[in-house]
Amino acid sequence: MKRSNKNTGALQLEELKAVYAISRVIVETLEFDKALAEIVRLSRPVFIFDNLILYLLNETNQVLEPAFARAIGRGRAVAEELAWGDLAAKEAFESGEIFLKEPAPDPDADRLDQGFYLGQPLTVGGKTLGALVFIRFGGPAYTDEQINLAEFIAAHVSQVLEHQRMVERIANLEAGRRLGELQSDFLATVSHELKTPLGFIKGYATTLLRQDADWNKAESREFLSVIDEETDHLGNLVNNLIDSSRLQSGILEMELQDVEMETLIGELLDRWQSHYPQIQIDVITPENETHVWADPIRLSQVMENLVSNAAKYAANSRVRIEVEEDNERVFIRVADSGPGIAAEHLDQVFKRFYRVPEPRETVRGSGLGLYICHQIIQAHEGRVDVVSKVGSGTTFTVQLPKQLAPQQAQEGQ
Ligand code: ADP
């Protein structure tokens, strides 16, 4: 039987309170399942039903499918009611009107065989999204007031649905836009960065192989050392790309352990002095040993990135590496007295692929180094900051917790 809703009678106080509480749920609860469970809970005292099933139209195959079901009253698994629920939902959905199925009174019949079905279409902005089906076993029949209430509940469920769809739509659009942006940034940067060393390697190798030229030992050595350097550069770039995508997706695991800072810096210092003769490095550490809870390989990678940046961007500068600590944290500062970074770029330098635009591209890079530092330090529950003044220099400060909580410490072992 189909019945259009007649607005008979005002709501009782208890009903009004429930209606108000339901409206609050819509405003406050963003999670779809939680909002529905809450609506069911709030409706029950004023509107008795045993089962409630929400059907939604699957837009791909245009079939009404149960999306949420609650059995709160008498007997029976919800699943058994789906067949009848399906019919009530289909009728309400297709007609856009309330659907009622009420069996003829039979005092001898089992209550559980006497289902009273009320189907409500769910409509938002003129579009029917699905239907809500209420089931009562053994009656009584739904009164007009109760049908009013059911209609009100359905209107609110529709709002929750619409809200959820909107959130999903916005998230999809945003994800699509960001992915598109990232992909084009990625391709532009990576192809440029890969092409440069490859060009050198190919050029020098071809030159060396020329049949018509006879290179002496010094010349051959010079060409080979370019090939050697550019191969290293290419290798570093590929490693950075791999690290950055692993960090991005959270699959780069940290092997946390007790690390003594002076020892870690001491091991790197020899290499820095031979690799970066253009800078002079001073190291200042506290008298007592300073321990952090960190992955030594990843922390060395952070230090390497900061020092190699100082060598690249602040050549001929003095670089000061200073370790300090307070009760909870260890601070590692890498300061140079190079050209500095203009204020408008400072909060961008930790972003993936970000490079400060330079009029002449004198220094090569991919904009991945500081992003990787930031992600690694974040994975240690620490932070990295930068302060800089154009013309005076740049200081990067890494903060690490002295000790992580015991549970996190265990996870790292
Ligand atoms: P890359 O060096 O590969 O370009 P990074 O992520 O390491 O990428 O650095 C991002 C940008 O920050 C660099 O392009 C550079 O402009 C700037 N930068 C980093 N370190 C310094 C520094 N010590 N002095 C001046 N500019 C720096």
Side-chain angles (χ1 to χ4, degrees):
M1 173 178 56
K2 278 175 204 157
R3 188 151 98 187
S4 51
N5 191 21
K6 292 175 262 132
N7 204 352
T8 54
L11 296 180
Q12 305 288 316
L13 181 63
E14 282 308 302
E15 293 169 345
L16 204 63
K17 278 191 191 161
V19 161
Y20 177 71
I22 291 172
S23 315
R24 300 296 315 156
V25 171
I26 312 302
V27 179
E28 286 162 10
T29 318
L30 294 179
E31 279 172 60
F32 180 62
D33 274 15
K34 269 197 197 151
L36 282 176
E38 200 47 17
I39 290 174
V40 170
R41 191 182 70 79
L42 292 166
S43 315
R44 268 280 288 181
V46 293
F47 178 36
I48 304 296
F49 54 88
D50 294 306
N51 288 359
L52 174 136
I53 310 167
L54 166 74
Y55 288 83
L56 291 178
L57 184 72
N58 178 333
E59 289 189 351
T60 322
N61 55 15
Q62 293 294 306
V63 170
L64 270 184
E65 292 171 351
F68 176 92
R70 270 289 141 97
I72 40 180
R74 300 185 183 103
R76 297 238 172 161
V78 167
E80 287 173 35
E81 292 314 312
L82 287 183
W84 258 107
D86 282 357
L87 182 77
K90 195 166 169 280
E91 291 283 341
F93 177 81
E94 284 175 0
S95 66
E97 287 178 26
I98 293 160
F99 171 83
L100 277 173
K101 181 200 165 271
E102 295 173 329
D106 176 0
D108 300 330
D110 184 339
R111 289 173 76 93
L112 293 179
D113 289 332
Q114 293 233 306
F116 286 65
Y117 292 83
L118 168 57
Q120 285 275 359
L122 296 172
T123 312
V124 181
K127 192 174 173 211
T128 310
L129 306 174
L132 198 59
V133 176
F134 297 87
I135 308 166
R136 258 180 193 175
F137 293 111
Y142 297 96
T143 65
D144 282 343
E145 285 75 19
Q146 288 167 343
I147 293 171
N148 268 349
L149 266 174
E151 194 175 31
F152 175 84
I153 295 168
H156 277 73
V157 171
S158 303
Q159 265 190 47
V160 178
L161 278 176
E162 182 57 10
H163 177 84
Q164 196 212 15
R165 285 186 180 209
M166 216 123 97
V167 168
E168 277 170 11
R169 228 174 289 149
I170 291 169
N172 283 343
L173 281 174
E174 180 61 12
R177 189 185 63 77
R178 280 191 38 222
L179 188 68
E181 258 177 33
L182 269 178
Q183 277 170 344
S184 55
D185 279 3
F186 181 83
L187 283 178
T189 314
V190 169
S191 50
H192 174 76
E193 286 305 308
L194 290 175
K195 262 184 176 166
T196 316
L198 269 178
F200 282 121
I201 294 169
K202 173 76 183 151
Y204 279 91
T206 310
T207 309
L208 266 174
L209 287 170
R210 267 169 64 172
Q211 303 275 3
D212 58 343
D214 204 3
W215 307 111
N216 65 32
K217 225 175 166 181
E219 287 165 330
S220 306
R221 225 189 132 67
E222 190 195 325
F223 296 167
L224 282 171
S225 59
V226 173
I227 293 175
D228 186 45
E229 247 174 56
E230 293 301 321
T231 317
D232 283 348
H233 185 80
L234 209 54
N236 283 339
L237 180 68
V238 171
N239 285 337
N240 273 345
L241 283 170
I242 293 169
D243 281 355
S244 99
S245 60
R246 283 190 181 154
L247 283 161
Q248 175 101 357
S249 52
I251 55 168
L252 192 73
E253 281 187 16
M254 300 291 150
E255 296 198 6
L256 300 178
Q257 53 196 269
D258 185 358
V259 176
E260 205 284 302
M261 280 314 298
E262 196 175 350
T263 316
L264 181 124
I265 295 172
E267 280 164 10
L268 293 165
L269 196 60
D270 288 343
R271 219 174 64 82
W272 287 335
Q273 276 162 345
S274 72
H275 267 72
Y276 311 122
Q278 68 275 38
I279 49 169
Q280 190 189 325
I281 304 173
D282 304 315
V283 178
I284 298 129
T285 50
E287 268 186 24
N288 297 332
E289 289 189 346
T290 316
H291 293 258
V292 287
W293 191 250
D295 179 330
I297 295 176
R298 296 297 163 192
L299 186 53
S300 300
Q301 190 180 358
V302 170
M303 297 300 295
E304 167 64 33
N305 272 334
L306 296 179
V307 171
S308 73
N309 273 354
K312 279 196 305 190
Y313 300 104
N316 307 318
S317 155
R318 259 189 118 102
V319 175
R320 187 183 158 100
I321 301 177
E322 196 172 359
V323 180
E324 268 180 6
E325 63 182 332
D326 66 13
N327 289 338
E328 290 148 20
R329 288 158 302 173
V330 171
F331 301 85
I332 307 153
R333 296 200 177 82
V334 178
D336 65 55
S337 46
I341 304 169
E344 68 263 32
H345 301 295
L346 271 186
D347 57 348
Q348 314 248 51
V349 290
F350 294 108
K351 289 190 180 152
R352 194 146 99 133
F353 298 126
Y354 190 83
R355 305 202 68 213
V356 176
E358 279 187 75
R360 291 170 297 123
E361 267 208 23
T362 43
V363 183
R364 290 163 63 187
S366 58
L368 286 173
L370 289 179
Y371 168 80
I372 290 175
C373 291
H374 182 257
Q375 297 291 96
I376 291 178
I377 295 302
Q378 259 199 344
H380 283 79
E381 316 249 306
R383 56 180 290 169
V384 51
D385 298 288
V386 58
V387 285
S388 186
K389 201 165 168 224
V390 173
S392 312
T394 306
T395 303
F396 287 92
T397 305
V398 171
Q399 285 184 39
L400 287 174
K402 268 175 151 171
Q403 240 164 352
L404 292 177
Q407 181 214 343
Q408 284 164 312
Q410 258 176 9
E411 280 168 15
Q413 279 167 343

